[in-house]
Each structure stands twice: as structure tokens, then as C-alpha cells.
Amino acid sequence: MKKISIISISLIIILILILVFVLVKPTQEIVSVSLVSETTEITYTDSESIRIFEDAIRTVKKVRGAVDVGPPSYRMTVTYADSEIVDFSLYMDLKAKNGFLIKNSNSEKMLDLKDKNAVELADLLSKEKRE
């Protein structure tokens, strides 16, 4: 009886570990982020800016339903360490310090930025406008 319960618990733990490793995708490392607007073109490669973008992308909240919005504040190209390139449209209100992303490969889904991330992004982008 004891052997059966130990084997059962072991199998459950193994199954959970397999699910975690298969279903949880490791976060990819960003090596650069390029932003293009009507007046600006900038590429970020420094570690602090990359951290801000990684946190913002990793923590977005998908908004239900389809969206229909105007032109973005920035066209954003994210390059990952494995050479994958993902294009986004970034909509930012620098004064209100809020915004959202739309992944160009799924242009009907809005990805809302968390407040903390939107503030960090707005501060980073505002700093570039002042310089």
C-alpha cells in the first residue's frame, strides 16, 4: 500500500514537471528595440532600456475583443537574441503616461500596458524627446 502511494505521488510530480517545462515558454532575451515615429527614429540597445521594454512586453494584459485604432505613436521592431524579429504598433500618451501595444501579426488584439510599465516607457520616450 505504501509503495503504491509513493509511486502515485512520484508520477504526479513527474507529470507536473513535464507540463511546466513543455507549456511554460522561457522568456526570450531582447537585444534591441527600434522605434520609428513621424519625427523620430531611435534604436535602444542599452541594458536599462531593454529591461523596460522586456518588462512591458512580458506583462501586457490582453484586452478582449477586436480593436480599430488610428496610426500608432511609434512603429516598434523588437529583435531577440535568437534573431527573431517581432513588429508592434506602440500607442503612448506621454502626458497621461499610459499606452498599449498591438502585435502586427495579430492586429485586432490590443495588449494593454500595466501602469508601472507605461510610466517607465513614457519616461524613457520623454527623455529621448528632450535630448
Side-chain angles (χ1 to χ4, degrees):
M1 189 70 158
K2 242 182 177 179
K3 281 185 178 182
I4 292 175
S5 62
I6 291 173
I7 291 173
S8 298
I9 292 172
S10 298
L11 285 174
I12 291 171
I13 291 172
I14 289 172
L15 284 173
I16 291 171
L17 289 173
I18 290 172
L19 284 174
V20 166
F21 286 116
V22 170
L23 296 178
V24 176
K25 197 175 179 184
T27 57
Q28 294 177 309
E29 181 184 347
I30 295 175
V31 293
S32 72
V33 176
S34 298
L35 296 176
V36 177
S37 71
E38 291 179 4
T39 59
T40 309
E41 186 171 335
I42 186 159
T43 299
Y44 296 94
T45 57
D46 63 284
S47 60
E48 181 58 22
S49 298
I50 294 296
R51 183 201 59 77
I52 291 170
F53 283 104
E54 278 180 338
D55 288 349
I57 292 168
R58 185 175 37 79
T59 61
V60 292
K61 183 173 53 177
K62 292 179 184 173
V63 177
R64 288 179 159 194
V67 295
D68 183 21
V69 293
S73 310
Y74 299 92
R75 300 267 180 220
M76 184 169 87
T77 302
V78 178
T79 304
Y80 291 94
D82 67 357
S83 300
E84 180 184 4
I85 296 173
V86 180
D87 292 318
F88 293 91
S89 294
L90 172 62
Y91 295 81
M92 284 296 301
D93 182 337
L94 297 179
K95 289 181 181 149
K97 295 188 177 187
N98 60 31
F100 62 93
L101 295 170
I102 294 179
K103 196 172 188 178
N104 290 3
S105 63
N106 189 0
S107 61
E108 292 184 1
K109 291 289 182 195
M110 186 171 96
L111 307 169
D112 196 25
L113 295 170
K114 285 191 170 183
D115 291 341
K116 173 186 174 267
N117 300 113
V119 168
E120 286 182 329
L121 269 177
D123 290 344
L124 178 65
L125 298 173
S126 294
K127 184 170 62 172
E128 291 302 324
K129 285 193 173 220
R130 287 191 303 264
E131 293 177 352

